[in-house]
């Protein structure tokens, strides 16, 4: 049965959910983990679940407006981006606190490799200060790439920006962050 569900594309599931609302749950299974990981990095653990829940609730309520022209994932990430934008002030406060204290508020207590933690602890406050200094749109596109794992094309579809603009914004954000970090610490 699961193989049959996996064979149906997202647009087909949205259409099916208009007749059988429980079908929408398959979209949650497919997209929630990646969206949750991204929201956690953007706003911290306490708000990540709220963002995912609110994004999916909005997508479910507005599913009849989804026309299938854009990829469902991009449509969903666009909704999530709007939810995150509403939390922008909280996000900025989180980065400023990280910059002051060196304590990453997005850390959920799961043990990571000691070397990664030491490196993150050393760079974290400077990175957070650099992220807080970016415009909201530049920060959004950069973090969709770095923490969301979206491609440039997916970011363009999610934000509604032209692909060239996305590339320029990411380049600008990386350049600004490189100035805030020691050489070689923002490769990739």
């Amino acid at each position: 049965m699961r193989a049959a569900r996996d064979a149906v594309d997202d647009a087909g599931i949205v259409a099916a959910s208009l007749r059988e609302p429980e079908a929408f749950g398959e979209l949650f299974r497919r997209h929630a983990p990646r969206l949750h990981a991204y929201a956690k990095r953007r706003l911290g653990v306490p708000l990540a679940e709220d963002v995912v829940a609110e994004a999916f609730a909005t997508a479910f309520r507005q599913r009849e407006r989804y026309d299938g022209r854009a990829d469902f994932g991009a449509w969903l990430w666009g909704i999530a981006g709007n939810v995150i934008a509403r939390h922008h002030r909280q996000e900025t406060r989180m980065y400023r606190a990280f910059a002051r204290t060196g304590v990453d508020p997005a850390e959920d207590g799961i043990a990571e490799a000691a070397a990664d933690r030491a490196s993150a602890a050393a760079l974290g406050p400077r990175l957070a200060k650099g992220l807080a200094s970016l415009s909201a749109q530049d920060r959004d596109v950069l973090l969709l790439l770095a923490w969301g794992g979206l491609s440039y094309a997916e970011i363009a579809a999610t934000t509604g920006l032209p692909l060239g603009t996305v590339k320029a914004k990411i380049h600008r954000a990386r350049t600004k962050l490189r100035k805030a970090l020691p050489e070689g610490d923002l490769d990739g």
Side-chain angles (χ1 to χ4, degrees):
M1 179 156 160
R2 186 172 184 164
R5 280 194 320 229
D6 289 343
V8 178
D9 70 355
D10 291 346
I13 293 171
V14 173
S17 75
L18 295 172
R19 296 180 308 280
E20 300 174 37
E22 62 276 0
F24 201 82
E26 175 63 15
L27 295 169
F28 185 86
R29 184 189 70 80
R30 290 179 181 185
H31 296 277
R34 190 172 166 201
L35 190 59
H36 184 272
Y38 174 70
K40 182 179 97 170
R41 293 299 310 160
R42 289 295 306 265
L43 299 172
V45 175
L47 291 176
E49 290 181 14
D50 293 343
V51 166
V52 172
E54 190 174 341
F56 273 96
T58 300
F60 180 78
R61 283 190 310 272
Q62 297 180 1
R63 68 191 187 281
E64 70 280 348
R65 295 170 65 188
Y66 175 71
D67 60 12
R69 286 186 298 195
D71 178 65
F72 174 80
W75 185 69
L76 177 65
W77 281 76
I79 291 170
N82 290 335
V83 173
I84 288 171
R86 289 195 294 268
H87 292 283
H88 174 71
R89 281 188 288 189
Q90 172 63 29
E91 178 185 36
T92 300
R93 285 192 298 267
M94 182 181 79
Y95 286 128
R96 287 183 180 144
F98 188 11
R100 282 192 313 273
T101 67
V103 177
D104 185 351
E107 180 60 46
D108 64 3
I110 297 174
E112 296 182 57
D116 290 345
R117 290 181 64 85
S119 177
L123 294 175
R126 291 165 73 183
L127 178 60
K129 185 176 181 181
L131 287 170
S133 72
L134 297 175
S135 73
Q137 198 173 59
D138 286 357
R139 182 172 50 237
D140 285 346
V141 296
L142 180 68
L143 296 180
L144 283 167
L145 176 72
W147 292 343
L150 274 64
S151 68
Y152 288 100
E154 289 173 318
I155 294 167
T158 297
T159 60
L161 295 171
L163 182 60
T165 301
V166 168
K167 290 178 179 180
K169 287 183 172 297
I170 289 172
H171 176 75
R172 181 174 42 247
R174 283 179 167 167
T175 299
K176 192 168 186 177
L177 289 179
R178 278 190 182 99
K179 291 178 184 174
L181 298 174
E183 189 148 334
D185 286 323
L186 193 63
D187 294 332

XYZ file of all heavy atoms in Angstrom, residues 15-78:
521
model
N -4.961 16.640 -4.970
C -6.262 16.463 -5.629
C -7.095 15.401 -4.916
O -8.286 15.589 -4.683
C -6.055 16.093 -7.100
N -6.467 14.299 -4.537
C -7.190 13.235 -3.832
C -7.688 13.711 -2.467
O -8.760 13.299 -2.009
C -6.297 12.008 -3.674
N -6.931 14.586 -1.847
C -7.311 15.054 -0.510
C -8.562 15.927 -0.530
O -9.193 16.128 0.511
C -6.161 15.819 0.155
O -6.024 17.111 -0.400
N -8.927 16.419 -1.696
C -10.168 17.192 -1.797
C -11.377 16.279 -1.601
O -12.418 16.710 -1.109
C -10.240 17.921 -3.136
C -9.184 19.000 -3.350
C -9.233 19.527 -4.780
C -9.329 20.130 -2.349
N -11.231 15.012 -1.999
C -12.295 14.018 -1.798
C -12.114 13.260 -0.485
O -13.072 12.936 0.189
C -12.293 13.006 -2.958
C -12.618 13.602 -4.312
C -12.592 12.546 -5.433
N -11.372 11.744 -5.479
C -10.206 12.122 -6.020
N -10.107 13.327 -6.567
N -9.164 11.319 -6.042
N -10.850 12.945 -0.176
C -10.500 12.186 1.025
C -9.454 12.978 1.806
O -8.259 12.824 1.569
C -9.934 10.825 0.648
C -10.882 9.949 -0.142
C -10.185 8.680 -0.610
O -9.356 8.130 0.151
O -10.479 8.253 -1.734
N -9.890 13.833 2.729
C -8.948 14.706 3.439
C -7.778 13.979 4.114
O -6.683 14.526 4.197
C -9.827 15.406 4.474
C -11.195 15.372 3.881
C -11.272 14.087 3.122
N -7.987 12.742 4.554
C -6.907 12.017 5.223
C -5.736 11.719 4.289
O -4.623 11.459 4.752
C -7.417 10.728 5.872
C -8.004 9.713 4.918
C -9.468 9.955 4.562
O -10.091 10.918 5.049
O -10.001 9.172 3.762
N -5.935 11.788 2.994
C -4.844 11.575 2.039
C -3.749 12.624 2.193
O -2.583 12.367 1.883
C -5.384 11.584 0.607
N -4.109 13.782 2.697
C -3.141 14.875 2.873
C -2.024 14.478 3.831
O -0.915 15.006 3.772
C -3.855 16.136 3.363
C -3.108 17.409 3.104
C -3.162 18.026 1.870
C -2.343 18.003 4.098
C -2.486 19.204 1.619
C -1.661 19.180 3.864
C -1.723 19.780 2.621
N -2.306 13.524 4.704
C -1.294 13.050 5.643
C -0.041 12.524 4.966
O 1.059 12.600 5.521
N -0.188 11.986 3.766
C 0.972 11.498 3.019
C 1.925 12.647 2.691
O 3.141 12.481 2.717
C 0.525 10.788 1.739
C 1.657 10.350 0.835
C 2.600 9.316 1.457
O 2.248 8.705 2.488
O 3.707 9.142 0.913
N 1.384 13.819 2.413
C 2.237 14.983 2.132
C 3.006 15.380 3.384
O 4.177 15.775 3.313
C 1.393 16.148 1.621
C 0.732 15.888 0.271
C -0.295 16.963 -0.038
C 1.778 15.790 -0.822
N 2.364 15.266 4.535
C 3.050 15.543 5.797
C 4.204 14.553 5.964
O 5.318 14.950 6.299
C 2.069 15.443 6.970
C 2.681 15.828 8.276
C 2.712 17.147 8.682
C 3.238 14.865 9.111
C 3.281 17.514 9.888
C 3.807 15.223 10.315
C 3.832 16.547 10.706
N 3.948 13.283 5.719
C 4.999 12.259 5.852
C 6.186 12.580 4.940
O 7.342 12.452 5.338
C 4.445 10.878 5.513
C 5.468 9.741 5.723
C 4.991 8.408 5.177
N 4.928 8.348 3.738
C 5.967 8.150 2.931
N 7.163 8.019 3.417
N 5.796 8.096 1.617
N 5.898 13.033 3.741
C 6.956 13.307 2.764
C 7.752 14.567 3.069
O 8.957 14.618 2.840
C 6.352 13.447 1.371
C 5.820 12.164 0.790
C 5.227 12.393 -0.587
N 4.685 11.158 -1.136
C 4.202 11.045 -2.350
N 4.191 12.095 -3.162
N 3.716 9.893 -2.768
N 7.075 15.603 3.532
C 7.727 16.921 3.595
C 8.038 17.436 5.003
O 8.895 18.306 5.149
C 6.852 17.952 2.865
C 6.710 17.679 1.409
N 7.651 18.058 0.477
C 5.740 17.040 0.705
C 7.271 17.679 -0.725
N 6.112 17.051 -0.614
N 7.366 16.947 6.009
C 7.522 17.512 7.359
C 8.932 17.378 7.935
O 9.427 18.339 8.528
C 6.490 16.914 8.310
N 9.608 16.237 7.796
C 10.935 16.143 8.427
C 11.924 17.200 7.942
O 12.613 17.838 8.749
C 11.407 14.724 8.056
C 10.138 13.961 7.842
C 9.188 14.952 7.217
N 11.984 17.398 6.643
C 12.914 18.388 6.082
C 12.504 19.803 6.480
O 13.347 20.626 6.836
C 12.929 18.220 4.563
C 13.989 18.998 3.861
C 14.019 18.578 2.395
N 14.782 19.528 1.603
C 14.658 19.660 0.311
N 13.831 18.893 -0.367
N 15.369 20.546 -0.342
N 11.215 20.075 6.444
C 10.719 21.397 6.830
C 10.964 21.653 8.315
O 11.348 22.749 8.712
C 9.228 21.504 6.490
C 8.593 22.874 6.609
C 9.280 23.885 5.701
C 7.115 22.789 6.262
N 10.769 20.638 9.139
C 10.993 20.778 10.583
C 12.464 21.077 10.884
O 12.774 21.956 11.695
C 10.550 19.520 11.332
C 10.681 19.651 12.810
N 11.841 19.328 13.477
C 9.805 20.099 13.751
C 11.679 19.564 14.764
N 10.453 20.034 14.952
N 13.369 20.359 10.234
C 14.798 20.589 10.454
C 15.179 22.018 10.093
O 15.941 22.680 10.811
C 15.627 19.591 9.645
N 14.635 22.505 9.010
C 14.906 23.880 8.581
C 14.331 24.890 9.578
O 15.016 25.815 10.009
C 14.318 24.105 7.186
C 14.412 25.527 6.709
C 15.640 26.075 6.373
C 13.279 26.316 6.598
C 15.738 27.386 5.936
C 13.363 27.628 6.162
C 14.601 28.151 5.828
O 14.680 29.447 5.409
N 13.087 24.699 9.975
C 12.443 25.630 10.912
C 13.158 25.625 12.262
O 13.286 26.667 12.906
C 10.968 25.273 11.089
N 13.639 24.468 12.678
C 14.371 24.375 13.948
C 15.618 25.243 13.911
O 15.921 25.955 14.871
C 14.740 22.919 14.233
C 15.462 22.731 15.548
C 15.773 21.272 15.784
C 17.173 20.995 15.348
N 17.658 19.673 15.730
N 16.330 25.189 12.802
C 17.546 26.006 12.682
C 17.214 27.490 12.597
O 17.969 28.329 13.054
C 18.355 25.578 11.454
C 18.947 24.217 11.537
C 19.924 24.034 12.685
N 20.901 25.090 12.695
C 21.639 25.429 13.750
N 21.501 24.779 14.865
N 22.503 26.408 13.682
N 16.092 27.820 11.984
C 15.720 29.225 11.825
C 15.213 29.842 13.121
O 15.556 30.977 13.451
C 14.628 29.382 10.760
C 15.057 29.146 9.341
C 16.062 30.150 8.801
N 15.691 31.526 8.914
C 15.103 32.250 7.989
N 14.782 31.691 6.850
N 14.835 33.514 8.196
N 14.351 29.118 13.847
C 13.648 29.728 14.973
C 13.857 29.023 16.295
O 13.357 29.480 17.315
C 12.135 29.781 14.675
C 11.750 30.605 13.457
C 10.265 30.432 13.157
C 12.078 32.070 13.667
N 14.557 27.913 16.300
C 14.769 27.172 17.528
C 13.749 26.061 17.688
O 12.724 26.014 17.013
N 14.050 25.156 18.600
C 13.231 23.971 18.817
C 11.786 24.306 19.188
O 10.857 23.740 18.625
C 13.876 23.056 19.890
C 12.979 21.884 20.224
C 15.228 22.569 19.401
N 11.556 25.227 20.131
C 10.156 25.447 20.548
C 9.219 25.893 19.424
O 8.052 25.505 19.407
C 10.259 26.546 21.611
C 11.666 26.501 22.088
C 12.476 26.041 20.908
N 9.711 26.679 18.491
C 8.849 27.191 17.424
C 8.797 26.304 16.188
O 7.886 26.439 15.371
C 9.302 28.593 17.013
C 9.069 29.693 18.038
C 9.658 31.005 17.556
C 7.596 29.842 18.329
N 9.757 25.392 16.038
C 9.821 24.574 14.823
C 8.543 23.766 14.616
O 7.986 23.745 13.516
C 11.037 23.651 14.865
N 8.082 23.107 15.649
C 6.862 22.309 15.512
C 5.662 23.191 15.196
O 4.800 22.816 14.404
C 6.622 21.480 16.769
C 7.635 20.360 16.902
C 7.427 19.500 18.126
O 6.361 19.577 18.760
O 8.361 18.733 18.441
N 5.624 24.366 15.813
C 4.533 25.299 15.528
C 4.550 25.748 14.068
O 3.500 25.841 13.428
C 4.616 26.530 16.436
C 4.350 26.207 17.898
O 3.801 25.126 18.184
O 4.694 27.044 18.754
N 5.742 26.044 13.556
C 5.870 26.491 12.167
C 5.412 25.388 11.210
O 4.634 25.646 10.282
C 7.322 26.921 11.849
C 7.543 27.067 10.350
C 7.654 28.220 12.560
N 5.872 24.165 11.451
C 5.489 23.051 10.581
C 3.981 22.826 10.659
O 3.311 22.686 9.631
C 6.268 21.766 10.945
C 5.735 20.561 10.184
C 7.757 21.964 10.653
N 3.459 22.825 11.867
C 2.014 22.608 12.034
C 1.213 23.710 11.358
O 0.230 23.437 10.655
C 1.667 22.533 13.520
N 1.641 24.949 11.556
C 0.915 26.067 10.952
C 1.021 26.046 9.429
O 0.037 26.304 8.724
C 1.447 27.393 11.504
C 0.603 28.577 11.111
C 1.047 29.873 11.774
O 1.762 29.835 12.800
O 0.675 30.938 11.246
N 2.198 25.698 8.907
C 2.380 25.634 7.455
C 1.489 24.543 6.854
O 0.809 24.775 5.842
C 3.844 25.381 7.104
N 1.461 23.375 7.472
C 0.623 22.295 6.944
C -0.858 22.589 7.129
O -1.672 22.271 6.248
C 1.000 20.947 7.559
C 2.100 20.263 6.812
C 3.415 20.388 7.222
C 1.836 19.511 5.681
C 4.439 19.778 6.528
C 2.850 18.891 4.972
C 4.162 19.025 5.400
N -1.219 23.205 8.249
C -2.630 23.550 8.452
C -3.083 24.554 7.398
O -4.182 24.431 6.835
C -2.851 24.102 9.858
N -2.239 25.531 7.112
C -2.565 26.514 6.076
C -2.657 25.844 4.707
O -3.593 26.099 3.944
C -1.512 27.645 6.060
O -1.508 28.279 7.340
C -1.810 28.669 4.981
N -1.676 24.984 4.403
C -1.700 24.276 3.117
C -2.962 23.417 3.001
O -3.592 23.376 1.940
C -0.449 23.410 2.971
N -3.348 22.770 4.087
C -4.547 21.930 4.054
C -5.790 22.784 3.814
O -6.616 22.461 2.960
C -4.687 21.143 5.364
C -5.894 20.258 5.393
C -5.896 19.040 4.723
C -7.033 20.640 6.069
C -7.010 18.216 4.733
C -8.153 19.833 6.086
C -8.154 18.622 5.417
N -5.896 23.897 4.548
C -7.061 24.771 4.380
C -7.129 25.366 2.981
O -8.206 25.606 2.454
C -7.040 25.905 5.419
C -7.453 25.500 6.805
C -7.657 26.704 7.722
N -6.558 27.656 7.707
C -5.476 27.596 8.492
N -5.348 26.604 9.352
N -4.537 28.504 8.423
N -5.984 25.614 2.373
C -5.942 26.271 1.068
C -5.640 25.298 -0.078
O -5.346 25.717 -1.189
C -4.885 27.383 1.089
C -5.209 28.478 2.065
C -4.156 29.582 2.074
O -3.175 29.549 1.345
N -4.377 30.564 2.921
N -5.747 23.996 0.175
C -5.354 23.016 -0.841
C -6.156 23.132 -2.127
O -5.655 22.808 -3.198
C -5.390 21.602 -0.279
C -6.756 21.065 0.054
C -6.625 19.766 0.862
N -7.891 19.109 1.069
C -8.788 19.455 1.974
N -8.562 20.486 2.772
N -9.918 18.783 2.082
N -7.381 23.629 -2.047
C -8.165 23.786 -3.279
C -7.596 24.897 -4.156
O -7.869 24.941 -5.358
C -9.652 24.041 -2.966
C -9.946 25.398 -2.353
C -9.648 25.481 -0.848
O -9.422 24.437 -0.221
O -9.627 26.605 -0.319
N -6.774 25.766 -3.578
C -6.142 26.841 -4.349
C -4.859 26.386 -5.038
O -4.342 27.073 -5.913
C -5.845 28.025 -3.435
C -7.141 28.644 -2.891
C -6.898 29.656 -1.809
N -6.174 30.806 -2.316
C -5.698 31.769 -1.537
N -5.880 31.726 -0.247
N -5.053 32.782 -2.058
N -4.326 25.230 -4.621
C -3.114 24.693 -5.255
C -3.480 24.197 -6.651
O -4.303 23.311 -6.807
C -2.517 23.560 -4.407
C -1.339 22.892 -5.065
C -0.127 23.555 -5.183
C -1.440 21.612 -5.583
C 0.956 22.960 -5.796
C -0.364 20.997 -6.199
C 0.827 21.677 -6.305
O 1.891 21.085 -6.913
N -2.859 24.771 -7.666
C -3.240 24.451 -9.043
C -2.281 23.488 -9.735
O -2.485 23.129 -10.883
C -3.380 25.727 -9.870
C -2.094 26.533 -9.943
O -1.021 26.011 -9.561
O -2.159 27.698 -10.377
N -1.226 23.075 -9.061
C -0.302 22.113 -9.640
C 0.719 22.692 -10.593
O 1.578 21.958 -11.085
N 0.643 23.984 -10.875
C 1.627 24.587 -11.797
C 3.010 24.608 -11.167
O 4.003 24.401 -11.845
C 1.211 25.990 -12.197
C 0.058 25.998 -13.173
C -0.232 27.374 -13.657
N -0.619 28.204 -12.506
C -1.207 29.365 -12.591
N -1.464 29.886 -13.756
N -1.540 30.032 -11.520
N 3.082 24.883 -9.875
C 4.351 24.868 -9.151
C 4.456 23.549 -8.399
O 3.452 22.909 -8.104
C 4.414 26.033 -8.171
N 5.658 23.155 -8.095
C 5.887 21.966 -7.289
C 5.234 22.166 -5.916
O 5.322 23.248 -5.332
C 7.398 21.766 -7.147
C 7.744 20.586 -6.290
O 7.425 19.457 -6.697
O 8.325 20.802 -5.205
N 4.571 21.138 -5.395
C 3.918 21.256 -4.093
C 4.919 21.655 -3.013
O 4.620 22.461 -2.146
C 3.219 19.945 -3.693
C 2.660 19.998 -2.296
C 1.457 20.629 -2.042
C 3.362 19.448 -1.228
C 0.947 20.712 -0.750
C 2.857 19.518 0.062
C 1.653 20.150 0.301
N 6.119 21.064 -3.069
C 7.138 21.398 -2.073
C 7.457 22.881 -2.066
O 7.567 23.492 -1.007
N 7.592 23.474 -3.228
C 7.869 24.909 -3.306
C 6.700 25.707 -2.751
O 6.887 26.700 -2.042
C 8.154 25.322 -4.748
N 5.487 25.274 -3.061
C 4.287 25.957 -2.541
C 4.266 25.874 -1.017
O 4.043 26.876 -0.337
C 3.049 25.307 -3.170
C 1.737 25.947 -2.842
C 1.300 27.174 -3.256
C 0.678 25.395 -2.056
N 0.030 27.416 -2.770
C -0.374 26.330 -2.031
C 0.533 24.191 -1.384
C -1.559 26.104 -1.352
C -0.653 23.957 -0.704
C -1.683 24.919 -0.689
N 4.543 24.686 -0.484
C 4.556 24.493 0.967
C 5.665 25.306 1.623
O 5.445 25.966 2.643
C 4.737 23.005 1.293
C 4.845 22.660 2.775
C 3.536 22.971 3.491
C 5.228 21.197 2.945
N 6.861 25.297 1.029
C 7.972 26.063 1.596
C 7.669 27.556 1.542
O 8.081 28.316 2.412
C 9.281 25.733 0.885
C 9.873 24.435 1.365
C 9.450 23.178 1.039
C 10.950 24.260 2.259
N 10.218 22.249 1.679
C 11.158 22.879 2.429
C 11.793 25.146 2.929
C 12.153 22.357 3.242
C 12.795 24.612 3.744
C 12.959 23.239 3.895
N 6.944 27.993 0.531
C 6.524 29.399 0.475
C 5.595 29.739 1.620
O 5.722 30.800 2.256
